[in-house]
Amino acid sequence: MAVANNVPVDLYEVNWGEATIPEQVDEVLSTGKYDLITVTHNETSTGVMNPISEIGKVVKRYPEVVFCVDAVSSAAGVKIEVDDWGIDICITSTQKALALPPGLAICTFSQKAYEAAREVKYRGFYLDLVRLYEYIQKKDYQYPSTPSLSHMFALNYQLDKIFEEGLENRFARHEEMAKYVRAWAKKYFELFPKEEYASNTLTNIKNTTGISVADLNKRLAMRGYMISNGYGKLKEQAFRIAHMGEMTLPQIKELLVNIEDILGL
Ligand SMILES: *Cc1c(COP(=O)(O)O)cnc(C)c1O
């Protein structure tokens, strides 16, 4: 994204299935080359959840650096303490753990991020967060351009439902589903990421027995279920089971029983 916007950037990657660890971030920031870092919280392609709170402790040692987190597939499924963890911009969208249609991005924005953004000369137009922030500060409920109001109504409805469930209950539900799927995965296959970094919103499972994931998915679809094939180069090498949003443990159990039935496990 930075490259597409003509922003000078360096990309640091880890091997697929491994986590970004605080030591790596410290090494990169200690070069003094950077004024912003962005890290993905939950790697939806590999099922890795990066230790953002620990990374945040490292980033705090570099007060000139703006800390951005992509929390698209984790927000609303796991707790994210943006202020405690020192996250300046935390971004998510409606179509993952918020269980809404795609089309709206949501972010938190710190004073530090606002001040840093003001120094940027060309911020684009529709996604100029400074302009958006200044409009919102006026509290007259005007936006610089027409937002997707239908998404906002849907989000308002969903947030009420989330508060009704209770945040702690919601996070516990996600953890419970994740633990169940991980135990199931270890019984019949293997986890793709190291368990200590395994995501609580989706599980990536190594296809250790050489099943046809595409065929399994076709047969699941006939029963009204769907899982995801491995992403990119992991196609057929792994498969992913989502357990986020409005899914419940009984639904997850039902899905797994159907997979067992189809595969004759
Ligand atoms: C889904 C997802 C996105 C955004 O996907 P879009 O299809 O571009 O909306 C970004 N980051 C992560 C980690 C995701 O899971």
Side-chain angles (χ1 to χ4, degrees):
M1 280 187 218
V3 170
N5 286 289
N6 198 27
V7 174
V9 64
D10 292 320
L11 176 65
Y12 294 91
E13 286 177 295
V14 294
N15 292 327
W16 281 41
E18 284 174 16
T20 300
I21 56 169
E23 291 75 13
Q24 290 168 307
V25 173
D26 198 21
E27 200 183 312
V28 166
L29 293 184
S30 66
T31 60
K33 271 171 72 182
Y34 303 106
D35 56 11
L36 182 143
I37 182 168
T38 177
V39 183
T40 299
H41 185 198
N42 192 63
E43 256 316 334
T44 321
S45 44
T46 61
V48 167
M49 192 165 280
N50 287 311
I52 292 294
S53 64
E54 299 305 310
I55 292 171
K57 282 184 198 152
V58 166
V59 181
K60 274 185 193 164
R61 288 192 234 132
Y62 301 89
E64 71 285 5
V65 175
V66 173
F67 184 28
C68 303
V69 172
D70 168 347
V72 174
S73 61
S74 53
V78 298
K79 188 185 255 183
I80 303 171
E81 308 255 28
V82 284
D83 293 328
D84 277 0
W85 300 357
I87 303 173
D88 292 300
I89 300 177
C90 185
I91 193 155
T92 191
S93 56
T94 42
Q95 78 272 27
K96 303 278 170 74
L98 279 164
L100 290 169
L104 186 70
I106 302 151
C107 80
T108 67
F109 206 57
S110 71
Q111 190 65 28
K112 178 173 145 189
Y114 168 65
E115 276 151 27
R118 277 175 48 173
E119 302 300 313
V120 176
K121 197 167 170 200
Y122 297 107
R123 297 188 298 267
F125 189 79
Y126 279 103
L127 289 177
D128 179 356
L129 290 179
V130 170
R131 201 162 67 107
L132 186 57
Y133 179 73
E134 287 171 356
Y135 264 85
I136 291 169
Q137 289 305 99
K138 285 192 229 148
K139 294 206 165 45
D140 59 2
Y141 303 103
Q142 278 297 321
Y143 281 82
S145 52
T146 315
S148 179
L149 289 172
S150 39
H151 277 100
M152 288 181 167
F153 285 119
L155 180 62
N156 190 30
Y157 173 84
Q158 190 65 309
L159 292 178
D160 283 344
K161 282 186 57 175
I162 290 173
F163 284 129
E164 230 168 79
E165 179 181 15
L167 290 176
E168 295 304 330
N169 293 339
R170 187 177 181 88
F171 302 143
R173 173 167 59 81
H174 281 79
E175 190 178 344
E176 195 183 19
M177 291 190 292
K179 282 187 173 156
Y180 193 89
V181 175
R182 291 203 279 267
W184 181 89
K186 288 192 291 182
K187 185 169 171 198
Y188 297 113
F189 301 92
E190 267 175 48
L191 292 177
F192 184 75
K194 254 202 226 149
E195 189 156 7
E196 69 173 304
Y197 297 117
S199 164
N200 273 357
T201 55
L202 84 148
T203 298
N204 198 4
I205 301 166
K206 252 193 223 170
N207 182 8
T208 45
T209 60
I211 61 161
S212 163
V213 177
D215 183 59
L216 169 63
N217 226 354
K218 261 188 221 143
R219 293 170 69 185
L220 279 171
M222 290 192 274
R223 302 177 181 207
Y225 305 92
M226 191 160 95
I227 59 169
S228 289
N229 210 321
Y231 185 81
K233 65 184 177 190
L234 291 181
K235 196 169 175 190
E236 293 297 332
Q237 309 297 308
F239 57 96
R240 294 170 295 166
I241 297 178
H243 30 80
M244 66 173 87
E246 290 177 345
M247 287 204 73
T248 61
L249 187 61
Q251 288 172 331
I252 281 290
K253 287 182 178 170
E254 198 182 293
L255 168 72
L256 297 179
V257 163
N258 275 278
I259 295 177
E260 286 170 16
D261 187 46
I262 291 169
L263 296 178
L265 297 175

